[in-house]
Amino acid sequence: MISFVGAGPGDVELITVKGQRRLKEADVIIFAGSLVSDEHLKVAKDGCEFHNSAKMHLDQVLDVMRKANNEGKKLVRLHTGDPTIYGAIQEQMDALEREGIEYEIIPGVSSFTAAATAIKREFTLPDVSQTVILTRIEGKTPVPEEENLVSLAKHKASMAIFLSVQDIDRVMQKLIEGYGNPDTPVAVVYRASWSDQEIVTGTLSTIAEKVKAAGIRKQAQILVGDFINADYSLSKLYDRTFSTEYRKGEK
Ligand code: SAH
């Protein structure tokens, strides 16, 4: 059996119980070397075989999977955060599917929620935003034109921007154009939940310089939107006068 497992954002305690159980039982682990903490590998049993996917291309990863499958071994493919977000798992799963190799996926805590918890804010505040946009700026991987940052920013929703901090100037230019307000708050969270986590806060017009001064060029989330510091309405769900299926509101 092949298990794609989300390792979580960094802190080793943020893997799921199920994901960690798969790691403990694995005969073979392929881990995303530069992004997943080595600490996760410590729970592996004696004799477990390790492969660092940072040094492998797709066919090499698939070869390790095929071999483990033929030998009836348990293999974990450990991905950073949640595997379904920028995880490049589809091409692996489709190859396994074509060859009739069984697999499962175990979700993980994504870095975008780890980043929001690091700054102690909620993405979805009543009267501020009820939508979270997860996106990135184009790099080697193109982004469909309909999803360019200028048009996404026009929604004024809460945003979490992955894989983009190296291009912070260009990201901010596009967001200023889209949001239309250079004072919109931004928080850049470097290595959320790791022991060397760093948080830089500012606005669309000030953050780029601060991020460069802090030397942050990778492994960061760019969080944008009024959820970071706006006033908001209290929730309906916990309103004293609001009735729900479980509770009768006070008059
Ligand atoms: N599947 C992962 C994302 C992989 S893409 C997830 O769900 O989080 C890699 C990008 O994720 C990085 O460029 C960075 O933008 C973000 N990232 C991953 N781990 C991070 C962390 N601990 N803190 C901040 N951003 C992180």
Side-chain angles (χ1 to χ4, degrees), residues 6 8-11 35 79-88 108-115 135-136 161-166 188-194 197-198 217-222:
D11 177 349
L35 298 164
H79 280 271
T80 178
D82 183 275
T84 66
I85 302 173
Y86 305 114
V109 175
S110 177
S111 58
F112 82 94
T113 52
T135 191
R136 62 170 297 173
I161 307 176
F162 292 69
L163 295 160
S164 302
V165 77
Q166 70 287 347
V188 169
V189 184
Y190 170 73
R191 285 170 65 86
S193 85
W194 292 76
Q197 165 183 297
E198 273 182 59
R217 285 188 299 273
K218 57 178 188 176
Q219 274 187 280
Q221 278 286 343
I222 305 173

Side-chain angles (χ1 to χ4, degrees), residues 184-251:
T184 303
V186 184
V188 169
V189 184
Y190 170 73
R191 285 170 65 86
S193 85
W194 292 76
S195 54
D196 55 355
Q197 165 183 297
E198 273 182 59
I199 298 172
V200 178
T201 55
T203 64
L204 291 178
S205 59
T206 65
I207 197 83
E209 291 314 313
K210 291 182 175 185
V211 163
K212 283 187 270 180
I216 300 173
R217 285 188 299 273
K218 57 178 188 176
Q219 274 187 280
Q221 278 286 343
I222 305 173
L223 305 181
V224 187
D226 288 328
F227 78 95
I228 292 170
N229 64 7
D231 290 337
Y232 56 94
S233 303
L234 297 181
S235 73
K236 296 278 181 261
L237 187 59
Y238 295 106
D239 187 317
R240 191 186 282 272
T241 63
F242 193 71
S243 295
T244 72
E245 198 180 331
Y246 303 102
R247 176 169 72 79
K248 179 138 180 54
E250 291 174 15
K251 289 273 183 287

